Amino acid sequence: MSLAVYSLDDVSKHNTRQSLWLAIHDKVYDITEFILEHPGGEEVLFDEAGKDATEAFEDIGHSDEAHDMLEKYLIGTLDEASQNKERKFNVIRAGELPETKKSVASSLRVILPALAVVGIIAYKYLFAPKSH
């Protein structure tokens, strides 16, 4: 089965309760039947109606089940001109935390205060005038 190819302009014409389309990861979905079933409420769907909703979809951290559920509503793909080639997402599923990378700046947040405390103690016991 060959899927239809749509432009973002085609998708943008479907932003009503009677016909609600979204583009997610360069695929086009008709989610009109899903509006009332959406656990996050219909408002969030209407905010992204007729648009490329990839970023909004991934920012929420949808579950694997939600990703699988999309296939039921798949009607086509975005044409080459409408696809966002520069977009890169780290997919985070519900219940997961994003990976964090250690950096020099985060290490300095611990090291610098520790050095300040050591310096104050050293000054107090080594260099401060004794009061005997």
Side-chain angles (χ1 to χ4, degrees), residues 109-129:
R109 290 181 183 168
V110 174
I111 294 170
L112 289 178
L115 287 174
V117 169
V118 169
I120 291 168
I121 292 170
Y123 175 79
K124 181 175 182 175
Y125 288 102
L126 298 175
F127 302 111

Side-chain angles (χ1 to χ4, degrees), residues 87-132:
R87 177 181 53 226
K88 293 183 183 171
F89 290 96
N90 295 325
V91 176
I92 300 171
R93 302 288 190 242
E96 293 180 353
L97 294 175
E99 285 186 27
T100 56
K101 294 184 174 134
K102 294 285 182 181
S103 68
V104 174
S106 64
S107 298
L108 288 177
R109 290 181 183 168
V110 174
I111 294 170
L112 289 178
L115 287 174
V117 169
V118 169
I120 291 168
I121 292 170
Y123 175 79
K124 181 175 182 175
Y125 288 102
L126 298 175
F127 302 111
K130 306 280 190 247
S131 59
H132 289 300

Side-chain angles (χ1 to χ4, degrees), residues 40-105:
E42 60 185 53
E43 297 83 20
V44 294
L45 297 178
F46 286 114
D47 286 346
E48 299 300 320
K51 301 177 191 173
D52 184 340
T54 305
E55 186 172 354
F57 184 81
E58 292 302 344
D59 282 350
I60 295 299
H62 281 92
S63 65
D64 289 334
E65 182 182 349
H67 283 261
D68 294 341
M69 199 182 291
L70 274 177
E71 294 308 309
K72 176 181 177 182
Y73 303 102
L74 179 65
I75 59 168
T77 61
L78 284 179
D79 64 9
E80 196 72 26
S82 298
Q83 293 180 12
N84 188 344
K85 302 294 184 199
E86 296 178 21
R87 177 181 53 226
K88 293 183 183 171
F89 290 96
N90 295 325
V91 176
I92 300 171
R93 302 288 190 242
E96 293 180 353
L97 294 175
E99 285 186 27
T100 56
K101 294 184 174 134
K102 294 285 182 181
S103 68
V104 174

